Amino acid sequence: MDLAYIPSPSSGVIYLGPIPLRGYAFCIIIGVFVAVWLGGRRWVARGGQVGTVADIAVWAVPFGLVGGRLYHVITDYELYFTDGRDWVDAFKIWEGGLGIWGAIAMGALGAWIGCRRRGIPLPAYADAVAPGIAFAQAIGRWGNWFNQELYGKRTDVPWALKIDADPGIGRVAGTYHPTFLYESLWCVGVALLVIWADRKFRLGHGRAFALYVAAYTVGRFWWEALRVDTAHHVLGMRLNQWTAVAVFLAAVVYFVISAKKAPGREEVVEPAAVAEAGEGEDGGEFARGDSGEAEAKAKGEAEAKAKSGEAEAKSGEAEADGAAEAKAEAGPAEPAEQSK
């Protein structure tokens, strides 16, 4: 008898009248919102413009969704393109099935296009959004809880996840490791780690993003080994475990090489923001210059008037002195003759 476990929703869809609200899609949307909000705050703090992260997300998010779905469909093609399967299901993204590796790869391509259009370096943008992506993953994983998918091996631990039977897809009732919860908590820890390291060491040139990738793949390798869903195996390990190892090594190599070639952090992340700030300063200096010129002009006119007054005074004194000298030279006046 199970004394404690995490219950699963009886349905992953809630209807508001005729409108279906799917838990999986809802979690993805909330995750995207959090990533854009946090990324925007970090971008502005680094000297970027308000709204830039959201503008580039218009490119990154659709590319990421397409990439995530493509990775899932390609690596689990037997779910859609074998006998008894309907290939149309490959387009039903709301039923679950997004591969993080494809989402990050294609999302990065979309972000690169958006950054290029605005003249922004992609590594700086990636550093700003890295913790937000980790938080988005933490939230998005709860979509698997709504769909009762991607759970781990059977267990009777108090935090086990109760799964309902579904003969249609071969799902057996029981209590299993909640790998969705493990990943969610791990991603929260990764986000906090990146934020802390970025503040302490002033990571730049894509190194905050590389730290996020490396930290995430460490956890992914562990909980991937717990999962019991169907997967391709290579040399005794699941394909996603090999992918995690390869991506981890790539992130570490990038981190080391980047630190040697471009130490420190970018001084300018968005040229347009610097130009805008410069125009504001120039305007202020121009206004101050006009005021100074007016003051100088007024002062000059006052000095000119004062000099003119002094010159007039000196001229009057000179005339008075000249008249006095002329009188002295002429001598005393002769008395007039009396009438005879």
Side-chain angles (χ1 to χ4, degrees), residues 31-58:
V32 169
F33 174 81
V34 170
V36 172
W37 171 78
L38 180 58
R41 287 177 60 89
R42 286 172 53 81
W43 183 252
V44 171
R46 293 189 63 174
Q49 291 181 313
V50 175
T52 295
V53 168
D55 291 343
I56 296 176
V58 172

Side-chain angles (χ1 to χ4, degrees), residues 1 16 30 61 111 119 133 166 215 250 271 273:
M1 179 179 178
L16 290 180
I30 294 176
V61 172
I133 294 176
D166 188 345

Side-chain angles (χ1 to χ4, degrees), residues 7-78:
S8 292
S10 58
S11 174
V13 184
I14 299 175
Y15 288 91
L16 290 180
I19 302 175
L21 297 179
R22 302 183 182 276
Y24 186 88
F26 195 57
C27 290
I28 296 296
I29 292 171
I30 294 176
V32 169
F33 174 81
V34 170
V36 172
W37 171 78
L38 180 58
R41 287 177 60 89
R42 286 172 53 81
W43 183 252
V44 171
R46 293 189 63 174
Q49 291 181 313
V50 175
T52 295
V53 168
D55 291 343
I56 296 176
V58 172
W59 289 90
V61 172
F63 272 71
L65 291 175
V66 171
R69 189 60 175 177
L70 280 176
Y71 181 89
H72 167 72
V73 171
I74 291 172
T75 56
D76 292 304
Y77 65 89
E78 66 278 358

Side-chain angles (χ1 to χ4, degrees), residues 131-308:
I133 294 176
F135 279 127
Q137 286 179 254
I139 297 170
R141 272 307 177 197
W142 284 85
N144 301 132
W145 176 64
F146 280 100
N147 287 351
Q148 296 195 42
E149 60 185 359
L150 304 186
Y151 44 85
K153 298 175 182 178
R154 282 182 175 273
T155 183
D156 57 358
V157 295
W159 57 87
L161 176 66
K162 187 177 184 297
I163 295 296
D164 301 322
D166 188 345
I169 60 176
R171 194 168 67 197
V172 180
T175 55
Y176 300 83
H177 276 288
T179 51
F180 86 90
L181 179 60
Y182 298 159
E183 182 168 354
S184 181
L185 295 176
W186 183 271
C187 286
V188 171
V190 169
L192 296 177
L193 170 65
V194 173
I195 292 173
W196 170 81
D198 193 30
R199 289 178 178 175
K200 184 173 180 63
F201 303 107
R202 291 182 57 80
L203 301 177
H205 302 282
R207 289 189 288 278
F209 186 82
L211 176 61
Y212 144 70
V213 172
Y216 170 76
T217 53
V218 170
R220 182 60 183 262
F221 184 88
W222 165 60
W223 63 72
E224 190 70 30
L226 292 175
R227 284 168 51 170
V228 294
D229 54 304
T230 303
H232 296 285
H233 286 74
V234 179
L235 299 178
M237 289 199 310
R238 293 166 65 97
L239 177 60
N240 279 333
Q241 287 182 287
W242 285 110
T243 305
V245 171
V247 174
F248 171 81
L249 293 175
V252 172
V253 169
Y254 177 88
F255 192 100
V256 174
I257 294 177
S258 174
K260 289 182 178 179
K261 289 190 173 182
R265 178 185 284 180
E266 301 93 337
E267 294 297 328
V268 177
V269 297
E270 187 168 5
V274 176
E276 183 180 347
E279 289 176 2
E281 291 178 1
D282 291 344
E285 290 176 1
F286 180 76
R288 288 193 295 271
D290 285 350
S291 176
E293 290 177 5
E295 290 178 1
K297 185 176 180 181
K299 185 176 180 181
E301 291 177 354
E303 289 179 354
K305 285 183 179 181
K307 288 180 180 179
S308 175

